[in-house]
Amino acid sequence: MAEAAASGHGFPRAARLTRSAEFRAVFGNAQRYADRYFTILVSNGSVSHARLGLAVSRRAAPRAVDRNRLKRLIRETFRQQRPGLPAVDVVVMVRPIACHTENAKLAAALDRLWQRISRSCEAS
């Protein structure tokens, strides 16, 4: 764990959206990126690094074990991609089909979405 924090690839509390006002700001003024499994809302961040918020609903993933698996997977891919992301606030929402999809496919889909976000923020 100390290795990840030293290399800048950790997931500290400062890298999370924790307050409802922060989520409202993203939902109110966001650019949308979506694929078959996820919808990602992105808005300009109020801090100098990328932050992540999760909105994994019971409707999309009825079983707690599925919601927790999806959240762990999303957090891990974000943690790995965070150094390359611009200073944005991100909220990831899950579609119901993600519950029945294997982790490797979901991680690949998330990696593609993180790359799209990075490219579009560089262009603007």
Side-chain angles (χ1 to χ4, degrees):
M1 183 79 165
E3 235 177 80
S7 67
H9 293 287
F11 192 59
R13 187 169 178 83
R16 304 174 199 167
L17 296 177
T18 57
R19 293 183 166 75
S20 62
E22 295 167 341
F23 278 88
R24 276 196 305 272
V26 174
F27 280 110
N29 181 24
Q31 190 171 1
R32 185 178 300 260
Y33 298 87
D35 69 359
R36 185 174 183 191
Y37 307 109
F38 302 99
T39 299
I40 299 181
L41 303 176
V42 179
S43 90
N44 291 330
S46 57
V47 295
S48 63
H49 56 275
R51 297 188 303 170
L52 174 69
L54 298 172
V56 181
S57 70
R58 228 184 252 164
R59 181 181 218 173
R63 296 183 331 153
V65 66
D66 292 328
R67 289 193 301 278
N68 293 334
R69 175 181 69 95
L70 292 166
K71 289 189 280 190
R72 279 193 306 273
L73 182 72
I74 294 165
R75 279 193 297 266
E76 180 60 18
T77 61
F78 177 79
R79 184 190 68 77
Q80 292 171 351
Q81 297 290 329
R82 190 168 74 101
L85 291 174
V88 291
D89 289 342
V90 176
V91 173
V92 179
M93 297 183 293
V94 175
R95 295 181 187 227
I97 193 169
C99 288
H100 310 293
T101 306
E102 59 193 35
N103 285 353
K105 283 186 181 179
L106 295 174
L110 283 166
D111 285 340
R112 284 191 299 274
L113 288 168
W114 298 133
Q115 296 304 318
R116 279 179 53 197
I117 292 167
S118 292
R119 282 194 306 270
S120 70
C121 290
E122 286 173 3
S124 55

